[in-house]
Amino acid sequence: MATKAYELSRLLEVLPPVNFAVAYGSGVFKHFGSAAVSTTTKVVDYILAVDNAQLWHAENAAANPRHYGGLSKLIGGKSTAILADTVGLGVHFNPYVQVGGQLCKYGVVSTASLLRDLDSWEHLYLAGRLHKPVKGLVKCHTVERAMSKNLRSALCAALLLLPEKFSKEELYYQICSLSYRGDIRMAFAEDKSKVENIVGGSERELDHLYLQDLHGVSGAKAGLVIAEGTIWSQAKNSVSSRAELLTSLPDSVLAEMGEKSSLSFRNSSLDIGLRNPMSRLSFAVRLAQNSDHINLLQDALSSRVRLASFRQALHGVLTTGLGKSSYYLFEKVRKALMTRR
């Protein structure tokens, strides 16, 4: 059961206008989260996209100074946004914000930066968060169109990583794991069963995100058939099927896979060559013929997630302040330890 939209929108009432807003996590979807920590206070998480992050933070810092950490108060709203772009991943989070008795954490990003991550998986940070169920609060057609492409990329990446036969639960686990591959927090500060909890608690929402495409275009690319009962089978050994799935991955992922396997275009750069549909398919066929293409994909995903998680963690310590950062880390570790008993 999800928290009602009007309850989640209370935070937006005290903030400057935004272009796009979603809420997510255990504070939104009541069945998220492990039983071990279900009695703790649930935090509602938000992603907010704005036209100009510098101007937005300047206005918000003036209206809601308590939302910001010590460094942000010192350098001001505009510099806070610049720091998010240079040290972090373009998104600045304000945690532990109380609104109407509800504890909130909201991340603010420019619409341009959000679209870039959704389209190219530049960091696979916000794009990865949006592979999972969210509650829409403020709609933006351009962002929603990019989100649809992002979901298809995630589905095709998961199908590439799965064996020939798999269940729906295994597919959803693979999708929800994409943005955790290489995340430095998973070593010590995240619940090891986090992905299982998301998948186990949100099957209906994940069905809504992926089932239609699984039975449609992406499923056809994979050569998907129902093998027996709830088990699906895909054309794992078909080069053409693998290549079709590869064409749905973001350009930057394909380019990195190509560079690591020494593939190139004769008369143009990788970036230019991938823009042409026929050249893209030809390139994908050559990648699919490489018996190591699954490892190449795994490496491409984990390398960007690892760097992104480090940068965002460093940015969080700088902007949130040592006190809040230490408390946040303590809570993460405490919950992780509780679930490992």
Side-chain angles (χ1 to χ4, degrees):
M1 181 177 181
T3 304
K4 294 181 180 179
Y6 73 85
E7 296 175 344
L8 298 172
S9 296
R10 289 172 183 166
L11 172 68
L12 302 181
E13 295 172 2
V14 304
L15 301 177
V18 300
N19 289 341
F20 169 81
V22 294
Y24 61 93
S26 59
V28 178
F29 299 99
K30 299 304 183 184
H31 46 294
F32 274 25
S34 67
V37 295
S38 61
T39 57
T40 62
T41 302
K42 301 288 188 180
V43 179
V44 176
D45 297 273
Y46 296 82
I47 296 172
L48 313 176
V50 301
D51 275 334
N52 187 315
Q54 293 186 32
L55 295 180
W56 193 94
H57 280 298
E59 183 178 350
N60 191 46
N64 300 294
R66 292 185 178 181
H67 291 190
Y68 290 85
L71 180 60
S72 291
K73 292 176 181 177
L74 180 65
I75 65 178
K78 289 185 178 181
S79 295
T80 292
I82 293 172
L83 193 65
D85 286 329
T86 54
V87 177
L89 309 174
V91 57
H92 171 88
F93 281 96
N94 284 331
Y96 304 113
V97 174
Q98 286 278 357
V99 177
Q102 174 63 59
L103 198 58
C104 305
K105 172 187 172 186
Y106 65 92
V108 181
V109 62
S110 72
T111 304
S113 292
L114 175 58
L115 290 172
R116 191 161 54 248
D117 200 36
L118 288 170
D119 182 66
S120 71
W121 286 6
E122 179 182 24
H123 306 300
L124 195 51
Y125 185 68
L126 295 179
R129 176 53 259 175
L130 293 171
H131 289 163
K132 307 164 190 72
V134 296
K135 183 77 171 179
L137 301 175
V138 178
K139 293 184 178 182
C140 171
H141 176 69
T142 305
V143 173
E144 289 177 343
R145 186 170 55 194
M147 285 173 64
S148 295
K149 180 182 177 183
N150 178 50
L151 293 175
R152 174 163 292 179
S153 295
L155 177 56
C156 290
L159 288 167
L160 283 163
L161 294 171
L162 284 164
E164 180 181 357
K165 293 184 178 181
F166 58 90
S167 66
K168 184 173 70 171
E169 290 73 22
E170 289 170 328
L171 171 65
Y172 290 162
Y173 182 91
Q174 196 69 248
I175 290 171
C176 294
S177 297
L178 293 176
S179 60
Y180 291 119
R181 294 175 180 273
D183 191 328
I184 61 173
R185 298 173 302 171
M186 296 303 292
F188 63 94
E190 281 289 2
D191 178 358
K192 291 294 186 181
S193 60
K194 183 169 186 173
V195 177
E196 288 99 327
N197 293 333
I198 294 173
V199 174
S202 59
E203 182 180 358
R204 183 176 62 180
E205 289 84 0
L206 288 165
D207 282 346
H208 177 73
L209 291 178
Y210 294 106
L211 215 51
Q212 182 176 351
D213 195 28
L214 191 65
H215 291 304
V217 173
S218 295
K221 288 183 175 183
L224 198 69
V225 295
I226 296 177
E228 50 188 80
T230 59
I231 301 300
W232 285 320
S233 176
Q234 60 174 328
K236 186 72 175 178
N237 297 319
S238 168
V239 169
S240 61
S241 176
R242 301 288 93 185
E244 287 286 353
L245 290 172
L246 284 166
T247 61
S248 291
L249 300 183
D251 288 359
S252 66
V253 175
L254 283 180
E256 184 173 338
M257 293 174 67
E259 288 168 358
K260 289 182 178 179
S261 58
S262 301
L263 294 182
S264 62
F265 292 99
R266 289 183 180 178
N267 301 316
S268 62
S269 67
L270 276 172
D271 289 343
I272 295 174
L274 290 172
R275 295 175 197 166
N276 180 288
M278 293 305 296
S279 296
R280 185 186 188 87
L281 179 58
S282 175
F283 181 80
V285 168
R286 292 160 65 197
L287 265 181
Q289 290 170 335
N290 186 332
S291 60
D292 204 34
H293 69 275
I294 299 304
N295 287 331
L296 291 172
L297 174 56
Q298 290 175 329
D299 289 346
L301 298 178
S302 62
S303 62
R304 66 196 58 214
V305 171
R306 187 177 301 109
L307 178 59
S309 63
F310 175 78
R311 286 180 57 183
Q312 191 60 29
L314 176 60
H315 175 261
V317 171
L318 289 174
T319 57
T320 306
L322 186 59
K324 283 187 177 181
S325 295
S326 298
Y327 178 73
Y328 179 76
L329 179 60
F330 171 78
E331 283 294 300
K332 282 281 187 182
V333 172
R334 183 181 66 83
K335 291 178 182 180
L337 291 174
M338 288 176 67
T339 59
R340 295 178 195 181
R341 289 175 180 173

